[in-house]
Amino acid sequence: MSRRRSLVAVVSLVTLLAPLATACAAGEGDSTATSSARRLRLDYAYYNPLSLVVRRQRWLETELRGTMITWVLSAGSNKANENLRAETIDVGSTAGAAALQARANGTPIKTIGVYTRPEWTALVVPKGSDVTKVTQLKGRKIAATKGTDPYFFLLQALQEAGLKGTDVEVVNLQHADGRTALERGDVDAWAGLDPLMAQSQVDAGTKLVYRNPAFNSYGFLNAREKFLTHQPELARKVIDVYERARVWIGEHPDEAVELLASEAELAPEVAAVVLKERTEVGVSPVPGDEQRAVLERILPTLVREGQVRSEQEARTALDTLFAPDPYRPASLTCSTCPPPARVRRHGAW
């Protein structure tokens, strides 16, 4: 009798566990589908003011209850691309040129949106420097972060001045370290990035020796292709909240300045320069002809300076970089909806 009861108990237990075992087996080999359904990993960056608004307002956390939202700080486009390549984040902020370079060199990303048109970089020299034009930088040390817009800006500036990348000594430092090297006198110039650049002007009296807004590529919001395949609805949600942030900045410019100052630890007047004078927020969020034209101009420089594996791969990357039309804000896909609110354009170009 005792043995019979034990046998019945075992059979009952197996019967209860069988559906669970089957469910587990069905999920094997589909880690993206099972884990990504519960999480969204994206970056925020001081050079991307929209990301700061979305993170502070907690719109994603509110609208995607049950989804684990993770925020990762990007110190530069190169770091955002590294995290996208390592699948540490699903959506990341880069400059347009950095996105093109990354895809050309094998990083499987697509651009799903445009967050700003910034003048976020220039060539910077220390207070008291005798350098007044780009040609005077020949043979000198210049700090720059490879794989980012400031570095590509430097290459374009050198080319315009009749110089090549090999005519200067590029010291590859992350943006903050480049600023420190400049202010210490360890380098002769720095391909700067706001808001660090604007703060350096105030704190150390550094000077912008060369500016050219046309050499700055747009701010691109990029997503991993696997993420777009498995979680397209989350990608669209990110685009939608970014548009809310764009409108919010237009309606609350002073609060946006306060937010940037707080997050990046800037003086309010520095944050105002960055956001109101050097950042155009009121741009179309959909990547298109304007952004392609900028990348077409930069592409030959990337090829000539060996920043991409081949010209053919770079051109293929350009042709396939932008995500298809479904990745548009809801406000731009509704044919009967009123047009989205336009954001006041800050500064002059």
Side-chain angles (χ1 to χ4, degrees):
M1 182 66 71
S2 177
R3 290 177 181 176
R4 183 177 301 173
R5 288 175 179 171
S6 297
L7 179 60
V8 171
V10 169
V11 171
S12 299
L13 180 60
V14 170
T15 302
L16 289 172
L17 292 179
L20 179 59
T22 302
C24 291
E28 290 178 1
D30 191 19
S31 59
T32 302
T34 56
S35 61
S36 296
R38 296 191 300 272
R39 69 182 184 185
L40 169 61
R41 303 162 301 172
L42 62 168
D43 76 349
Y44 67 104
Y46 305 141
Y47 53 82
N48 178 358
L50 273 66
S51 71
L52 302 181
V53 174
V54 173
R55 180 169 174 262
R56 175 66 65 87
Q57 297 292 339
R58 297 184 61 81
W59 290 325
L60 288 171
E61 288 81 353
T62 299
E63 298 184 18
L64 296 174
R65 295 190 182 280
T67 299
M68 180 182 295
I69 309 297
T70 302
W71 292 94
V72 177
L73 176 65
S74 286
S77 294
N78 61 321
K79 296 301 182 182
N81 278 328
E82 286 176 12
N83 285 330
L84 286 165
R85 188 162 49 248
E87 300 188 6
T88 303
I89 59 175
D90 304 307
V91 181
S93 317
T94 74
L100 174 62
Q101 183 202 32
R103 184 166 178 85
N105 289 334
T107 302
I109 57 172
K110 289 277 192 180
T111 298
I112 61 173
V114 177
Y115 53 88
T116 60
R117 183 192 182 201
E119 186 193 1
W120 51 20
T121 185
L123 296 186
V124 191
V125 295
K127 180 180 181 180
S129 172
D130 62 346
V131 174
T132 58
K133 52 186 178 181
V134 178
T135 52
Q136 293 174 297
L137 293 173
K138 184 175 182 179
R140 305 208 188 195
K141 291 183 178 181
I142 305 176
T145 308
K146 291 187 176 181
T148 70
D149 228 27
Y151 178 63
F152 302 132
F153 180 92
L154 169 63
L155 296 180
Q156 293 177 87
L158 292 173
Q159 179 189 353
E160 184 184 60
L163 302 175
K164 297 178 294 184
T166 54
D167 289 326
V168 300
E169 182 182 346
V170 176
V171 181
N172 186 25
L173 297 171
Q174 198 60 44
H175 300 298
D177 297 328
R179 172 192 170 181
T180 299
L182 180 77
E183 295 177 359
R184 287 179 177 174
D186 296 334
V187 295
D188 301 293
W190 169 47
L193 178 71
D194 272 336
L196 294 168
M197 184 169 66
Q199 190 71 59
S200 181
Q201 289 179 265
V202 172
D203 292 347
T206 56
K207 301 178 295 183
L208 307 188
V209 71
Y210 180 75
R211 299 173 68 175
N212 188 339
F215 284 177
N216 292 251
S217 63
Y218 286 75
F220 279 20
L221 195 65
N222 310 303
R224 296 186 300 107
E225 286 188 300
K226 285 184 180 179
F227 170 72
L228 294 179
T229 298
H230 291 288
Q231 299 292 345
E233 71 285 355
L234 291 184
R236 294 188 186 97
K237 177 58 68 175
V238 171
I239 290 296
D240 287 343
V241 295
Y242 257 71
E243 284 315 288
R244 288 179 64 182
R246 194 185 309 278
V247 173
W248 187 91
I249 290 175
E251 295 175 347
H252 306 86
D254 294 335
E255 291 179 53
V257 167
E258 292 176 5
L259 174 58
L260 176 59
S262 172
E263 290 284 339
E265 298 182 354
L266 303 173
E269 58 269 24
V270 173
V273 168
V274 172
L275 195 55
K276 293 186 176 182
E277 298 180 18
R278 298 181 185 171
T279 304
E280 184 178 359
V281 176
V283 298
S284 170
V286 183
D289 292 342
E290 290 184 23
Q291 290 74 34
R292 184 183 175 93
V294 170
L295 298 183
E296 287 273 14
R297 186 178 62 249
I298 294 173
L299 191 149
T301 301
L302 301 183
V303 174
R304 183 170 46 255
E305 297 295 336
Q307 298 303 303
V308 290
R309 295 184 299 202
S310 70
E311 180 175 0
Q312 181 57 50
E313 286 176 296
R315 295 207 169 273
T316 299
L318 179 56
D319 290 338
T320 59
L321 179 60
F322 299 161
D325 284 350
Y327 297 99
R328 292 170 175 260
S331 58
L332 296 185
T333 57
C334 173
S335 59
T336 60
C337 296
R342 299 307 299 160
V343 180
R344 179 169 60 90
R345 176 175 174 172
H346 298 306
W349 290 84

